[in-house]
Amino acid sequence: GSISILATEGKEYPSQPIEVYCPYLAGSSMDLTARVIADVAPKYLGQPMVVVNKAGASGSLAAAEVIRSKPDVYKLAILANLFFASTVYTQKITFNPKDLIPVANFMQYKLGIAVRADSPWKTIGDIVSYGKKNPGQLRWAHAGRGTSLFTYTLLIFRKAGVEAVDVPYQGSPQQLAALLGGHVDISAAPYGAQKGAVQAGRIRFVIMFTDERFSDPSDVPSATEAGFPEAAKLPTVVGLYAHKDTSVEIQKTLLNAFKKTYDDPEFKKGMEKLGEQPRFGGPEFMKEAIKNAEEVSVPLLKEFGLYVGN
């Protein structure tokens, strides 16, 4: 089959453009990260990279697309560790997530809860006390059940005894529109895709799901600082995944090219502008990130009655 030819002719890979399937719509943090990679990687791959948005099912459509393709590695998926550690357990899926293997990690999400700039709530404490006094009144936006943002926010509300209404959207641009339009009260979202709105003074973050403050945004308390240390235990990292039948030769070619991409000043500049945290790692780092996240998220999903299993 084609795979054996490729294994012997690994030096010729890639001989055509590589597509990166992104599970969220244009303008979302993951999409913007994929585009920074796709801008720089061709320097080291010798072929263009094309971002294809395959939104829906919190990543499952993008994953299935790569799994269904021939393992000729002209299709990769950009996904978070939480997709494998949480999302796939909240859906009935028609594929085996283990048919994807990690290639290279590029980013760690800066995730948090945002409110409109004119919101009376200054802290997560304000939100929680409103939610307790007004059960079922608080409406919050997220980009899919089983995502880390969903799990974290639910965790905070459950710990604090808040009953709130969760409203799923297809990605952070839609969540931002809903927040600004007053359709939701708060939004659990990545900082990167919302950084422009923060700088424009339209929204502000009240908490970041991390154990220590980020340098950007430096004025937002970490979850640990705010008294919710359990909401800092799921670092969400994002990288590229390939079909499991990809030859070792090609995996090495890709990892090598992606390490150079990551080290390129142009990549660093793109990520800084986006506002997300660059974080490189190879396949072992990514496997570990999935395993660690699974240990935190699976018991939570079961506790919240969201675990479907696969």
Side-chain angles (χ1 to χ4, degrees), residues 15-211:
S15 58
Q16 66 191 61
I18 295 171
E19 294 178 322
V20 177
Y21 282 79
C22 172
Y24 296 102
L25 297 174
S28 58
S29 269
M30 204 180 274
D31 167 78
L32 296 168
T33 299
R35 288 175 195 281
V36 177
I37 298 167
D39 280 348
V40 183
K43 251 196 238 186
Y44 306 104
L45 284 167
Q47 287 290 338
M49 276 188 102
V50 184
V51 178
V52 182
N53 298 91
K54 192 93 184 164
S58 302
S60 293
L61 297 184
E65 187 70 42
V66 176
I67 290 168
R68 269 201 311 267
S69 70
K70 292 201 303 284
D72 58 5
V73 211
Y74 288 104
K75 286 184 177 178
L76 301 171
I78 184 166
L79 294 162
N81 59 326
L82 264 287
F83 172 74
F84 299 93
S86 176
T87 309
V88 294
Y89 296 121
T90 63
Q91 307 174 349
K92 277 278 171 239
I93 50 174
T94 53
F95 58 85
N96 181 355
K98 293 192 168 57
D99 284 346
L100 286 178
I101 53 167
V103 179
N105 199 81
F106 280 95
M107 183 259 266
Q108 180 173 336
Y109 263 132
K110 296 178 185 177
L111 302 171
I113 292 176
V115 296
R116 279 188 307 281
D118 60 4
S119 165
W121 304 319
K122 299 282 180 258
T123 65
I124 186 71
D126 295 347
I127 292 169
V128 162
S129 70
Y130 172 86
K132 279 165 101 160
K133 289 188 194 104
N134 303 277
Q137 290 301 298
L138 191 66
R139 292 168 63 81
W140 61 285
H142 60 87
R145 294 188 151 200
T147 59
S148 48
L149 278 163
F150 175 79
T151 308
Y152 276 150
T153 310
L154 197 56
L155 186 63
I156 286 178
F157 287 161
R158 289 283 164 103
K159 290 269 185 235
V162 171
E163 254 180 80
V165 181
D166 74 279
V167 188
Y169 288 89
Q170 273 207 309
S172 36
Q174 292 69 27
Q175 288 175 247
L176 180 61
L179 182 64
L180 293 172
H183 306 293
V184 292
D185 305 298
I186 67 173
S187 179
Y191 174 70
Q194 326 277 314
K195 186 178 172 177
V198 171
Q199 287 172 328
R202 298 167 77 196
I203 65 167
R204 53 189 162 78
F205 278 80
V206 295
I207 187 174
M208 298 304 285
F209 298 132
T210 175
D211 46 12

Side-chain angles (χ1 to χ4, degrees), residues 208-231:
M208 298 304 285
F209 298 132
T210 175
D211 46 12
E212 41 194 69
R213 283 193 190 212
F214 291 113
S215 56
D216 169 26
S218 59
D219 57 343
V220 182
S222 71
T224 306
E225 232 179 294
F228 294 99
E230 58 285 337

Side-chain angles (χ1 to χ4, degrees), residues 251-266:
Q251 288 179 51
K252 279 187 191 147
T253 301
L254 286 172
L255 182 60
N256 190 17
F258 290 146
K259 178 71 179 93
K260 288 175 179 161
T261 301
Y262 180 86
D263 290 333
D264 192 300
E266 218 179 305

